[in-house]
Amino acid sequence: MTRLASYLPILDWGRSYTRHTATDDLIAALIVTIMLIPQSLAYALLAGLPPEVGLYASILPLVAYALFGTSRALAVGPVAVVSLMTASAVGELAAQGTPEYLGAAIVLALLSGAMLIAMGLFRLGFLANLLSHPVISGFITASGLIIAAGQLKHILGLGGSGNTLVEILAGLASELGNVNPYALAIGVPVTAFLFWVRSGLKPALIRAGLRPRLADIIAKSGPVAAVAATTLAAHVFSLGDKGVKLVGHIPAGLPTPALPSLDPHLWSQLLVPALLISVIGFVESVSVAQTLAAKKRQRIVPDQELIGLGAANIASGLSGGYPVTGGFARSVVNFDAGAATPAAGAFTAVGIALATLFLTPLIADLPQATLAATIIVAVLSLVDLKALRRVWAYSRSDFAAMATTIAATLVLGVETGVTVGVGVSLALHLYRSARPHMAIVGIVPGTEHFRNVNRHKVITGDTVLTLRVDESLFFANSRFLEDRLTELVAERPKLRHVVLMCTAVNEIDASALESLEEISRRLEAAGVGFHLSEVKGPVMDRLQRTDFLTHLNGKVFLTQYEALAALDPRTTHIAEARQPRKATRADFWIGPEI
């Protein structure tokens, strides 16, 4: 049962489910349902799909995640970035509005779900680490700008198109003379209203005397109020006859399971987009889940999260939906509303199902400009251009990865953008690893500690050189270590011993082992001993399985102090004779590297 519960977390939290917990989950579900209905419609349109598909993607996926997911607050469903990636991937294969387009989106959900489950079963969640935070932040920022720009056509009543920011803005500029004043009269006020609701309505209601929780519920209902008001206005004033695009007829009823297209060529064309959507969706989802879990001292299991999200995507595909993941905004709302277990998601699914059955005839006259305003307000909260300045101040290489991702996404599109970002991140990581930080260290007077000679006032001798390498040794940096040691030894004619301090070396691969053997031979030929100090246990275990230690031109010391005491006792005595004193700022050099 314990093993089964690891794959079905509901068997764990379900045993302690109480009436009080159910009440908390029901209240949270009500609030999230109110928020999710207009969002689901809007994100489906963003993905180029009929609006009811957004509702379909918000029913069974929530139930599947409740069964297999480990987060108690994550709310799964359509999100802006995944919707944009879906439109980008499927738009290259079929025209919007055609059965082939919907079929490709369904296949994309199934492929994404299968990949996520496979990654979870094989414990491959670490692959998401290939996407560094600057790359993810840059990608989401650029995607938010593209999404917001792409929705301006609905606000202006135009028919612009394009997958990149350049294409979208060029299309809008070419049609500015055809702006529909009625669409503009709806889109601009609704956008302003939703921005005010997001930041100003709750404080205003609290000042008016409402309790914070009730004020929060009313504030979260702002998009629903906008939908109701603009739908009524469109019906009363016949705005559809005046060129305002409406949602139109939405079929009432629950989705019916159906077999997807079995065309192998289609599936092969969607493999790469499905992988990108899977990884991006998982990273976004697990980041939110971990943040919310930490607030209640709970924990999530990333590999099981892969299975939970995979099951949600397969459920979405089988019920006529498209790729889904955990959404930031709705998860925070779910958490703040008091969701205690994943059952809140299942209750939300029931609410969406009821809306699909009974409310769809009421929103046929809903202007698309209202949904566009909903999307714009939601995605602009994800845009963080200030992060560029923060990352620039902290790390130039991370800034390069982030800026490159933003530029590539805006100019070349979402799939190319994230691919370029991952490539730049890996290239910079390899560059940094291939040129690790190395420091000559000396003993701090009156102590047994060793520090960088360029940062601290330390004592060193002429006959012993201690080099600290702040990186594991592997094929990419082993030659750099050889060259650096050769250079340092050539500069010191009195040198008799070299000690490689291995405090930061967690691994030595076969290539690095050969380099160490070559260094030992060269130094022995030059009459210089080659020693190691502070080698970690797992590294020593591997070294002992080879003949390296037998042929080593020197010894392996437990500590660096022991090495210096054995190889240069005069310097050790000088350091011991000097009394330690309180460090001052002058003892340290503050630079860009540690």
Side-chain angles (χ1 to χ4, degrees):
M1 287 298 295
T2 302
R3 184 171 178 80
L4 184 60
S6 68
Y7 288 101
L8 277 173
I10 189 174
L11 297 178
D12 180 23
W13 58 262
R15 288 197 296 266
S16 58
Y17 203 70
T18 64
R19 181 179 299 177
H20 176 72
T21 306
T23 301
D24 290 341
D25 285 343
L26 282 168
I27 293 174
L30 176 62
I31 296 173
V32 174
T33 299
I34 292 172
M35 174 186 182
L36 197 54
I37 291 173
Q39 272 195 359
S40 298
L41 298 170
Y43 290 151
L45 290 176
L46 173 59
L49 296 163
E52 65 269 16
V53 175
L55 297 175
Y56 298 162
S58 303
I59 302 176
L60 286 186
L62 279 71
V63 178
Y65 182 81
L67 293 174
F68 296 98
T70 61
S71 172
R72 306 259 174 139
L74 191 70
V76 173
V79 300
V81 173
V82 171
S83 297
L84 176 64
M85 296 181 74
T86 299
S88 176
V90 178
E92 297 180 359
L93 305 177
Q96 290 189 13
T98 63
E100 291 76 15
Y101 190 95
L102 175 58
I106 291 173
V107 169
L108 196 60
L110 293 172
L111 270 174
S112 179
M115 289 179 176
L116 287 166
I117 289 177
M119 290 169 66
L121 292 176
F122 288 101
R123 301 292 189 260
L124 298 179
F126 69 91
L127 291 177
N129 297 332
L130 295 178
L131 290 173
S132 66
H133 179 73
V135 169
I136 288 290
S137 177
F139 175 72
I140 291 177
T141 292
S143 298
L145 293 173
I146 290 175
I147 292 169
Q151 295 307 300
L152 290 177
K153 64 182 180 181
H154 297 299
I155 300 291
L156 301 174
L158 301 176
S161 62
N163 295 320
T164 68
L165 186 64
V166 176
E167 293 174 353
I168 292 170
L169 294 180
L172 291 175
S174 66
E175 295 188 43
L176 279 180
N178 301 321
V179 171
N180 187 309
Y182 298 100
L184 195 64
I186 290 177
V188 172
V190 169
T191 303
F193 170 73
L194 292 177
F195 271 119
W196 175 73
V197 163
R198 179 176 285 265
S199 59
L201 180 57
K202 181 179 177 180
L205 293 174
I206 293 176
R207 288 194 298 269
L210 269 68
R211 288 179 298 178
R213 189 161 188 177
L214 179 59
D216 187 61
I217 294 174
I218 295 175
K220 296 295 187 299
S221 304
V224 177
V227 166
T230 55
T231 300
L232 180 62
H235 178 75
V236 171
F237 297 107
S238 301
L239 295 182
D241 298 333
K242 298 173 182 176
V244 176
K245 293 183 179 179
L246 306 178
V247 168
H249 172 68
I250 299 178
L254 297 176
T256 55
L259 288 175
S261 169
L262 300 179
D263 179 8
H265 181 63
L266 173 65
W267 286 67
S268 64
Q269 287 180 300
L270 291 173
L271 281 175
V272 174
L275 178 61
L276 292 175
I277 287 174
S278 299
V279 176
I280 292 287
F282 171 66
V283 171
E284 180 180 355
S285 179
V286 80
S287 299
V288 176
Q290 286 176 333
T291 300
L292 297 180
K295 292 184 178 181
K296 289 190 175 181
R297 297 192 177 184
Q298 298 168 349
R299 65 182 292 269
I300 67 166
V301 183
D303 288 322
Q304 182 60 30
E305 282 297 291
L306 284 165
I307 295 175
L309 292 173
N313 276 279
I314 288 180
S316 181
L318 293 177
S319 58
Y322 70 104
V324 298
T325 192
F328 175 77
R330 70 173 67 99
S331 296
V332 171
V333 170
N334 196 38
F335 178 86
D336 290 342
T341 71
F347 293 146
T348 301
V350 173
I352 299 294
L354 292 174
T356 305
L357 284 170
F358 303 112
L359 298 183
T360 53
L362 302 179
I363 54 178
D365 290 329
L366 172 62
Q368 291 189 14
T370 302
L371 296 180
T374 302
I375 294 174
I376 289 173
V377 174
V379 300
L380 286 184
S381 66
L382 304 176
V383 174
D384 187 10
L385 293 175
K386 293 181 180 178
L388 282 168
R389 183 173 60 190
R390 295 194 301 269
V391 175
W392 169 264
Y394 184 75
S395 170
R396 299 294 192 271
S397 60
D398 284 338
F399 172 83
M402 186 176 185
T404 302
T405 302
I406 292 176
T409 303
L410 292 177
V411 176
L412 302 176
V414 291
E415 291 181 17
T416 304
V418 71
T419 303
V420 169
V422 171
V424 171
S425 291
L426 292 177
L428 290 172
H429 171 71
L430 289 175
Y431 177 79
R432 288 193 295 262
S433 299
R435 301 176 62 84
H437 178 246
M438 296 183 184
I440 299 173
V441 298
I443 188 169
V444 178
T447 73
E448 295 184 4
H449 300 295
F450 289 78
R451 293 293 184 268
N452 191 335
V453 297
N454 293 323
R455 293 178 176 273
H456 304 264
K457 291 187 175 180
V458 296
I459 297 174
T460 60
D462 295 333
T463 60
V464 176
L465 169 68
T466 300
L467 184 67
R468 190 189 72 212
V469 183
D470 296 334
E471 180 68 70
S472 292
L473 300 177
F474 66 114
F475 66 92
N477 60 28
S478 56
R479 182 58 61 85
F480 182 74
L481 172 63
E482 286 187 51
D483 295 342
R484 180 63 175 152
L485 264 177
T486 300
E487 176 186 346
L488 292 173
V489 171
E491 294 172 351
R492 292 164 170 78
K494 298 181 180 180
L495 192 65
R496 293 294 175 265
H497 300 280
V498 172
V499 183
L500 187 64
M501 190 174 177
C502 302
T503 49
V505 178
N506 297 314
E507 184 178 3
I508 298 175
D509 74 356
S511 298
L513 181 62
E514 289 190 8
S515 291
L516 293 178
E517 292 172 344
E518 180 62 26
I519 290 171
S520 179
R521 286 193 293 268
R522 289 182 186 177
L523 292 180
E524 184 177 17
V528 177
F530 181 51
H531 313 271
L532 305 179
S533 74
E534 305 196 21
V535 181
K536 294 184 177 180
V539 177
M540 180 60 75
D541 291 342
R542 296 182 66 179
L543 292 178
Q544 288 174 338
R545 294 200 295 267
T546 71
D547 59 356
F548 170 74
L549 298 177
T550 304
H551 300 128
L552 177 65
N553 169 32
K555 299 180 179 180
V556 178
F557 292 95
L558 182 64
T559 68
Q560 179 58 31
Y561 183 81
E562 179 184 306
L564 188 65
L567 302 175
D568 189 4
R570 180 175 175 276
T571 299
T572 306
H573 293 325
I574 293 174
E576 289 175 349
R578 296 190 184 180
Q579 293 299 316
R581 58 185 175 78
K582 185 177 180 181
T584 66
R585 189 172 181 83
D587 292 323
F588 300 91
W589 175 76
I590 307 301
E593 293 183 350
I594 295 174

